[in-house]
Each structure stands twice: as structure tokens, then as C-alpha cells.
Amino acid sequence: KVGDVGVMLVNAQNGWEVGNVLHGRYARILNKPLIAVVNQLDAEKASYENALETMRDKASVKPVIVQYPVNQGVGFDSFIDVLMMKLYKFVDENGKREEYPIPESELERANALNQELAEAAAVYDDALMELYFEKGSLTQDDIRAGLKLGVSKRDIMPIFCASGKRDIGTKRLMEFII
């Protein structure tokens, strides 16, 4: 009741579960926005796509991708952040990360998801919408401002990647929340 925003963990192996439904209901009753974190992406049966699909089907708020994994499963150690347009690779079990440019093999998907993120952000501010139509894209700060409005209205739910066990993604999630 006292938080400004809730962080909803979604199991990468099972997707949107009964607990998510219950917590989503409480967030709706208390009019609290949510950020979703697909956790356990390092599990053997992890499926980011399945988790995302269940969120699209069952969540009452539209999920928008901010991050997606490069190599989900037992070897999970990297994800692409389409807001920052960087690849984050985690080099140890303590959450130490290195930043890299997005590889050519992922650039098309990352650009398309960045465009979707910009479109989702532009919907909530007329000035951003005008800027988006004028330039065809938005800056990171513009996207952040639009996402903040959309999240606060409970219309969208940003999606992040994580492995809580290996401290992958937690620092970036906190940076976004701040």
C-alpha cells in the first residue's frame, strides 16, 4: 500500500501464474502500477517467449518489452536492453556486468522493439506524439518520460529480464525504477 510501483516477478518456466493474477488484482484495487520481471531465465526450461505470451493473454495491463534475453536457459548471461540499446553481459555470479554494442544478429529485432517502445511511450503525451511523428523516433529521455506516464496510468507494464539467483538484471531494474 505504501509503494509507488510494484515489481511483479514472472517465472520464466511457468509464465503468468495464479500468484500473478492475485497480485495483479491487488495492484488494480490499490491503483498501483506494475513492472514485470521475467525471472529464472537461467533455468533449464526457461522460455521468455512463453512467459511474455502468457502475460499478453492474462495480464490486465499491456506488457511492453524493455529487455529480452540473448541466451536463455542454463547458460543465460546476457540480455539486450532496447531502451538503452545495449547488450549487457554478466561475467560472474555476483551481478558484475559489461556493456557491449548490440551484435548485428540482434540489431534488427532490437531496433523493432525500440520502435515499439517509442510508440508505446508517445501515446501518453501529445508533445511526444507530435515529436514521434515528426522525427520517426524518440530519444531515451523522451521514451522514459512517456513510459513513466503510461506506467503511472496502469496502461502499460515494462518487461525486464533477470536471474535472481545469479544477480543478473537487478542493478539495471533498479536504475530504471529510480
Side-chain angles (χ1 to χ4, degrees), residues 26-65:
Y26 291 133
R28 187 174 55 253
I29 290 168
L30 297 170
N31 198 31
K32 298 294 180 180
L34 292 172
I35 296 171
V37 179
V38 180
N39 191 29
Q40 298 183 7
L41 282 163
D42 57 343
E44 187 176 326
K45 296 181 182 179
S47 174
Y48 176 83
E49 292 75 20
N50 181 56
L52 184 60
E53 193 60 36
T54 61
M55 282 187 268
R56 286 183 176 140
D57 289 345
K58 298 177 182 176
S60 61
V61 180
K62 178 186 176 190
V64 292
I65 297 172

Side-chain angles (χ1 to χ4, degrees), residues 42-145:
D42 57 343
E44 187 176 326
K45 296 181 182 179
S47 174
Y48 176 83
E49 292 75 20
N50 181 56
L52 184 60
E53 193 60 36
T54 61
M55 282 187 268
R56 286 183 176 140
D57 289 345
K58 298 177 182 176
S60 61
V61 180
K62 178 186 176 190
V64 292
I65 297 172
V66 176
Q67 298 173 346
Y68 69 92
V70 174
N71 59 341
Q72 64 191 334
V74 176
F76 174 65
D77 67 352
S78 305
F79 61 76
I80 292 178
D81 189 308
V82 298
L83 173 60
M84 303 299 286
M85 289 304 285
K86 294 179 182 177
L87 176 127
Y88 290 99
K89 183 171 181 74
F90 294 82
V91 295
D92 63 19
E93 301 292 317
N94 299 316
K96 184 178 180 204
R97 71 181 188 200
E98 296 176 350
E99 298 177 8
Y100 295 99
I102 297 172
E104 286 293 321
S105 61
E106 294 291 332
L107 202 51
E108 185 177 334
R109 180 178 183 194
N111 283 329
L113 289 172
N114 179 270
Q115 198 70 23
E116 286 179 25
L117 200 58
E119 289 171 11
V123 168
Y124 301 100
D125 184 322
D126 291 339
L128 287 178
M129 183 66 80
E130 196 173 301
L131 187 63
Y132 178 74
F133 284 134
E134 185 179 301
K135 293 184 177 180
S137 65
L138 295 174
T139 66
Q140 285 180 12
D141 289 336
D142 292 336
I143 293 172
R144 278 190 199 98

